[in-house]
């Protein structure tokens, strides 16, 4: 593993190994400090978009592992505007041991990786959000056990970056995946093609429905995300109207398994894609889910920058 750009780049064995390491590092941190597996290592972070979880969890992960993170806000580097993405990558990778970037266009992640002399981690692009899906798999394992092939995850809402990475994660682990959303907002065809190849290999059933009750039927995990992602704010009003039937609320959850867990990558627009009652209710695992970003990313960082440790 040289970069971490998409879950679809991983083998099932790599993914499983990362999850094992995340579990170990979380246990270690819960009972005492982590070993300094990244002592004196540095992570440069480029953000073109806002963040709470991604910045905080990467920065704390580096600190806990004995390293340091360096944050650049959207205003500073101005990726591709002040200077080319390739030149940013050539220069930045001379200073740091790894780069994490959150960008609009996925091509910018690919260009950063192409010209970087150090590992690049995708901290979200318009195409996918692999760090999120990796940590979500960790949360599902904690709540439901390791045998993901017996589970069904239903994603309600937009066929967006988070849905894409969850689809790849499900396809690699043998978990069934169903998405429910309005016509015109499905996952892209090339994403389905790639996921279907992985699903055939690992035994997942993948499906898409426009009927939300069909998507959540017997689901063990119900997942949602904002209806308008960062950069789509101008469409928010129209999307709010179109996506209304896909709100995760108590009535919709009646069709899922009685012990269903509800997940949201956050930030949540309470009252839109998810109700207050569900966010704060007995099925919600939102806060453990957010915490696990830090533990899963420690595994990514150690694998990429840890020089064979752990
Ligand atoms: N889920 C997530 O990536 O959150 P932030 O946008 O706050 O980083
Ligand atoms: N789909 C959302 C995820 C935020 C973590 C976005 O891209 O804005």
């Amino acid at each position: 593993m040289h970069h971490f750009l998409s879950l679809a780049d991983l083998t099932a064995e790599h993914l499983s190994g990362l999850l094992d390491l995340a579990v170990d590092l979380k246990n270690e941190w819960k009972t005492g400090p982590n070993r300094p597996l990244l002592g004196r290592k540095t992570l440069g972070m480029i953000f073109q978009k806002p963040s709470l979880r991604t910045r905080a969890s990467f920065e704390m992960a580096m600190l806990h592992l004995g390293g340091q993170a360096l944050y650049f806000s959207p205003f500073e580097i101005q990726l591709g505007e002040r200077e080319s993405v390739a030149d940013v990558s050539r220069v930045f990778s001379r200073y740091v041991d790894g780069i994490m970037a959150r960008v609009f266009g996925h091509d910018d992640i690919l260009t950063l990786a192409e010209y970087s002399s150090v590992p690049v981690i995708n901290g979200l692009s318009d195409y996918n959000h692999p760090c999120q899906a990796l940590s979500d798999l960790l949360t599902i394992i904690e709540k439901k056990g390791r045998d993901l092939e017996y589970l069904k995850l239903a994603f309600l809402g937009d066929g967006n970056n988070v849905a894409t990475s969850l689809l790849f994660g499900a396809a690699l682990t043998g978990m069934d995946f169903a998405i429910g959303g309005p016509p015109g907002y499905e996952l892209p065809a090339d994403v389905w093609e790639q996921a279907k190849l992985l699903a055939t290999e690992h035994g997942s059933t993948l499906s898409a429905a426009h009927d939300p009750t069909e998507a959540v039927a017997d689901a063990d995990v119900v997942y949602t995300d904002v209806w308008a992602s960062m950069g789509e704010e101008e469409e928010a009003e129209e999307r709010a109207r179109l996506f209304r039937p896909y709100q995760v609320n108590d009535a919709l959850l009646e069709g899922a398994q009685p012990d269903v867990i509800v997940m949201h990558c956050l930030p949540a627009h309470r009252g839109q894609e998810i109700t207050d009652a569900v966010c704060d209710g007995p099925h919600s695992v939102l806060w453990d889910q957010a915490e696990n970003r830090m533990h899963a990313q420690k595994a990514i960082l150690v694998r990429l920058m840890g020089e064979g440790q752990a």
Side-chain angles (χ1 to χ4, degrees):
M1 201 166 97
H2 186 47
H3 300 294
F4 186 79
L5 309 182
S6 169
L7 288 192
D9 296 339
L10 303 180
T11 63
E13 291 70 32
H14 273 132
L15 179 56
S16 178
L18 271 174
L19 290 166
D20 288 342
L21 181 56
V23 169
D24 289 348
L25 291 169
K26 180 170 180 177
N27 287 337
E28 188 179 80
W29 183 75
K30 289 282 181 192
T31 53
N34 283 125
R35 286 161 292 155
L37 297 171
L38 298 179
R40 304 179 75 88
K41 297 280 183 181
T42 52
L43 179 73
M45 306 196 295
I46 302 171
F47 281 85
Q48 276 189 329
K49 300 176 178 179
S51 170
L52 165 58
R53 280 143 290 269
T54 303
R55 178 184 175 183
S57 56
F58 268 108
E59 210 158 313
M60 292 307 105
M62 286 302 293
L63 183 74
H64 294 169
L65 292 165
Q68 184 165 345
L70 174 64
Y71 168 76
F72 282 97
S73 75
F75 236 29
E76 290 168 283
I77 293 184
Q78 298 173 39
L79 200 64
E81 288 171 29
R82 190 162 176 267
E83 62 194 309
S84 76
V85 179
D87 285 355
V88 169
S89 188
R90 287 181 176 107
V91 172
F92 205 25
S93 60
R94 296 283 180 113
Y95 300 134
V96 295
D97 300 300
I99 294 173
M100 192 285 295
R102 165 167 288 195
V103 302
F104 286 98
H106 190 67
D107 281 352
D108 286 347
I109 285 285
L110 299 178
T111 305
L112 283 170
E114 184 179 350
Y115 291 96
S116 173
S117 55
V118 299
V120 172
I121 299 169
N122 177 1
L124 179 150
S125 70
D126 287 351
Y127 169 64
N128 64 353
H129 196 1
C131 296
Q132 182 68 53
L134 179 75
S135 67
D136 293 339
L137 291 173
L138 174 63
T139 305
I140 295 169
I141 286 169
E142 283 179 356
K143 305 295 177 189
K144 294 283 175 192
R146 192 72 207 222
D147 298 325
L148 299 183
E149 63 270 26
Y150 299 116
L151 302 179
K152 171 183 171 181
L153 183 151
F155 184 96
L156 272 294
D158 188 22
N160 65 13
N161 44 9
V162 172
T164 294
S165 288
L166 288 169
L167 175 69
F168 290 148
L172 273 168
T173 55
M175 184 163 57
D176 293 342
F177 177 96
I179 184 166
Y185 295 90
E186 294 92 353
L187 282 157
D190 60 320
V191 167
W192 275 117
E193 289 314 308
Q194 210 176 351
K196 277 182 191 158
L197 290 176
L198 297 171
T200 306
E201 204 177 324
H202 302 291
S204 316
T205 302
L206 311 179
S207 62
H210 295 135
D211 175 358
T213 53
E214 187 183 328
V216 299
D218 298 323
D220 303 283
V221 181
V222 169
Y223 199 118
T224 191
D225 183 14
V226 291
W227 293 333
S229 286
M230 291 179 278
E232 297 171 339
E233 288 79 5
E234 283 179 7
E235 298 174 31
E237 207 170 309
E238 192 196 350
R239 283 172 175 254
R241 191 171 48 78
L242 289 170
F243 283 84
R244 186 68 185 78
Y246 303 91
Q247 182 189 67
V248 174
N249 53 39
D250 285 321
L252 189 71
L253 290 181
E254 279 174 21
Q257 294 285 356
D259 61 349
V260 64
I261 57 168
V262 175
M263 303 181 72
H264 190 311
C265 55
L266 303 175
H269 292 162
R270 288 167 176 250
Q272 289 198 24
E273 75 273 4
I274 191 165
T275 57
D276 277 328
V278 173
C279 267
D280 303 323
H283 299 288
S284 167
V285 299
L286 266 49
W287 322 121
D288 290 339
Q289 182 185 0
E291 178 188 323
N292 277 339
R293 289 293 303 279
M294 182 171 76
H295 306 299
Q297 285 156 200
K298 282 180 184 172
I300 299 169
L301 291 164
V302 168
R303 273 286 185 275
L304 289 175
M305 292 158 55
E307 293 169 3
Q309 299 181 82

